[in-house]
Amino acid sequence: MKAYRADLLDFVSTPAWGDTEASAAVRFRPEHWLLVDDEGRIAGVQTHEPPANIEREDWRGHLLLPGFIDTHVHSPQIGVMASYGTALLDWLNNYTFPAERAWADPEVAARGSAHFLDALLAHGTTAAAVFPTVHKTSAEALFAAANLRRMRVVTGKVLMDRHAPDGLRDDVAQAERDSIDLIQRWHGRGRASYAVTVRFAPTSTPGQLAMAGELCRADPSLFMQTHVAENRDEVRWVGELFPEARSYLDVYARAGLLHRRSILAHGIWLDDSDRAALRETGAQVAFCPSSNLFLGSGLFDWPAMIAAGGAVSMASDVGGGTSLSMQRTLADGYKVQAMGGHRLTAWTALHAATRGAAEALGLGHEIGTLEPGRLADFTVWRWSANAVDAERQRLARDLHERVFAWMTLADERHLLATWVAGAQRFARRPQAATAPARDDERRAA
Ligand code: GUN
Ligand code: ZN
């Protein structure tokens, strides 16, 4: 057993949209002890000091959260971030596809996967649904690297058998064999789940989509992940490629790809019938505000999803997104909602990046909260890391204001340490002191 003292924040239910009160959904426990057992599970939370024989770490004055869950991110795209000048379809052709081609090499995939997962941990993200590349080896490498770190991952070989350059296309038979092989090797092993990973409708033939639907039908414990209705040119193209479908989302519905373990990134250009279909099937939308702003894709309407009863989680979508930081993602989410005339509370945002995402993935029993029995995936953050956000913290009048200012101003530089299943996997190195000149020194000079 080990004990950690900090300001503990998590959620016990879903906060109401727009509610900035410290509602019953929010559980803030300042200066509490988090107990973690030797199996790496949360054993409990208490105010009183643990007995002397229990090893302890005192992080008093810092914020302790469940590890963030990034429900849509691309492992081979760290090097694609911040690529200038294009919208989705040109961005894929000019930057993304060329970068993904290199991952056919197992060594590139292994090195890249390790780098990617360590980067997630250094941003406070302990679980993710990830797109590698079309190459079987890229999924294999990611599963292996996650297993080594005991990280919760949902991933699978990307399916794409058309409208992609040489070296990035599979075919239905090979894709099916590779998927089944990876499912047998990795699905349910350690903390890994397999996701049938359709890149997006334009890069799969109807035959490949049908095969993907068959995989899902054969094993309802599989996840499915893809992109939907991200960009207007993309939506138009899907309309041309699949004239029989009522909408872009309907392409996936017809192929049997919408179910309670489906994660659809973006969902900007959906209509009410699409949103009803999401609710009925239990599929969720991964909201990717940083990517949506960077690629100029559009403004996701979160309240419309709530009105329809659909689930929403938060995602960086790196490399369309410009940071792996979930705080930056949430801050962008606030701005996107503001552009639509809505206000995203810190509670709804942080919930969607922790407990909400865990529940939408059907993983609430494992991750997302500080509830006893969950695996001890957690992070400790500085409330402030510089004079500017320290002053903002000092002026906050209530808990929501404090946490909202933190969410908006903080990033990975506020992260002190990350634990996965009770093991510390990231720790900030002490920084060289850069003492600012004091006013009295300046006067003396
Ligand atoms: N649609 C198809 N592929 C991609 C991708 O890699 N990133 C984003 N943002 N959208 C996509
Ligand atoms: Zn994406």
Side-chain angles (χ1 to χ4, degrees), residues 74 77 88 91-92 96 100 199-200 227 230 234 266 291 295 317 320:
H74 298 254
Q77 293 185 14
L88 175 65
W91 175 84
L92 285 171
T96 307
E100 292 191 6
R199 179 168 214 124
F200 67 155
H227 297 86
E230 175 177 3
E234 171 211 21
H266 309 297
S291 168
L295 294 175
D317 192 30

Side-chain angles (χ1 to χ4, degrees), residues 67-73 125-130 152-155 187 191 193-195 220-226 259-265 282-286 311-315 351-368:
F68 286 132
I69 303 166
D70 188 341
T71 58
H72 181 85
V73 58
T125 296
T126 51
V130 187
R152 161 45 76 177
V153 286
V154 173
T155 189
H187 185 53
R191 302 186 70 186
S193 292
Y194 195 85
S221 72
L222 292 173
F223 286 82
M224 193 290 296
Q225 55 180 351
T226 190
H259 49 78
R260 64 189 171 77
R261 293 198 140 191
S262 301
I263 310 163
L264 298 120
Q284 67 174 295
V285 169
V312 177
S313 56
M314 294 298 312
H351 173 264
T354 55
R355 186 183 196 271
E359 302 227 305
L361 293 169
L363 297 173
H365 57 285
E366 179 189 324
I367 53 175

